[in-house]
Amino acid sequence: MSSEAIIEHRRGVGGGLAFVVCGPSGAGKNSVIERVMEVIPGFSYSVSFTTRPRRSDEVDGRDYHFITDKQFTELVENDEVVEHVTYLGHKYGTSRAQIKEVFAEGKDVILNIDVNGAKKLMDRGLNDFSIVYVFLTPSSLEILGTRLRERGTETEKQMQARLAVAAKEMKSMPLFEYLVINDDLDTAVDELRAIVVAERCRIIAAND
Ligand code: 5GP
């Protein structure tokens, strides 16, 4: 790629980067992502499909597209999700159409997904688009437990199940390119912001 083309690419905000932010439930992914999107332009949040019941503070179409099992099966059959998983009995999947749309607008996308979904993307990729893999977690499972308890969106039993999954997910951390430790929200926001800025400044690989 020529120097002119590289500069031309950088003139737009960038566009075509997918930031996959993974980490155990209760890690604070939503709060960190929300704050980073407030301070950095040129982003869209990938709103996933899920069959999980909506929590009282969630808005359909903003947090998730809440759909039925039957609708989810149809999406998968029609290849309308780029990856999908079953997490503690509910299905979650990333919309192919939305990601395509975001890239067509010249923006980057942030995906908030679980470790198994990230592993699928590591195997398959996203056509020609670059994916940046970020693992976000508090520094210990104890802190995670306290956060989940404080959040109060799950029953004790559901919370224990989430913590068991979290312990497994932590083991996959070495597969990721970046680690953001979220013990302090401001620090975590600053670190994710720095990763985004650095990745946008990266000279994209020559392909001609
Ligand atoms: P929650 O029920 O707490 O909203 O989400 C449970 C887990 O599913 C979280 O780790 C979240 O990041 C993950 N998740 C949300 N949407 C998707 C998705 O589209 N694909 C995958 N693989 N995981 C998702």
Side-chain angles (χ1 to χ4, degrees):
M1 180 177 270
S2 68
S3 307
E4 288 80 7
I6 291 170
I7 289 173
E8 195 52 41
H9 179 79
R10 278 288 309 283
R11 276 224 184 92
V13 185
L17 281 176
F19 291 88
V20 169
V21 180
C22 261
S25 171
K29 288 172 286 183
N30 285 324
S31 313
V32 177
I33 290 172
E34 213 170 277
R35 287 265 305 272
V36 167
M37 288 182 66
E38 277 167 21
V39 292
I40 305 192
F43 261 126
S44 257
Y45 180 72
S46 163
V47 181
S48 295
F49 296 106
T50 187
T51 62
R52 169 172 72 60
R54 189 174 63 80
R55 294 177 188 139
S56 59
D57 62 339
E58 286 178 328
V59 177
D60 191 18
R62 182 194 71 187
D63 300 290
Y64 282 106
H65 299 291
F66 294 94
I67 60 174
T68 62
D69 268 303
K70 186 166 175 282
Q71 287 171 318
F72 199 96
T73 305
E74 276 168 20
L75 287 178
V76 173
E77 279 171 6
N78 297 332
D79 200 25
E80 290 178 54
V81 285
V82 291
E83 62 73 39
H84 63 99
V85 296
T86 301
Y87 175 95
L88 295 176
H90 298 299
K91 297 181 178 130
Y92 297 79
T94 303
S95 161
R96 186 180 299 284
Q98 196 200 346
I99 292 198
K100 221 168 145 187
E101 201 177 297
V102 172
F103 287 160
E105 286 169 0
K107 290 186 187 166
D108 297 328
V109 68
I110 289 205
L111 279 66
N112 170 351
I113 64 176
D114 85 326
V115 167
N116 289 327
K119 284 182 183 166
K120 289 184 184 175
L121 287 180
M122 286 173 192
D123 288 343
R124 288 177 210 159
L126 261 184
N127 297 328
D128 290 336
F129 297 105
S130 300
I131 310 182
V132 181
Y133 294 96
V134 181
F135 196 88
L136 189 148
T137 179
S139 57
S140 74
L141 286 173
E142 286 69 38
I143 299 179
L144 201 65
T146 310
R147 292 237 180 109
L148 275 176
R149 211 158 270 129
E150 280 169 4
R151 192 168 80 179
T153 48
E154 273 83 26
T155 62
E156 182 65 28
K157 196 168 160 224
Q158 286 168 335
M159 221 182 57
Q160 291 304 334
R162 281 179 179 245
L163 280 173
V165 174
K168 263 203 210 148
E169 290 186 322
M170 294 290 256
K171 296 205 169 84
S172 296
M173 190 194 295
L175 297 174
F176 287 74
E177 296 166 293
Y178 292 100
L179 169 64
V180 171
I181 293 184
N182 183 21
D183 285 348
D184 171 68
L185 183 61
D186 286 342
T187 308
V189 169
D190 200 40
E191 288 181 359
L192 184 59
R193 192 195 63 80
I195 292 166
V196 170
V197 172
E199 286 293 333
R200 282 183 173 173
C201 290
R202 192 189 279 280
I203 292 180
I204 48 178
N207 53 10
D208 58 7

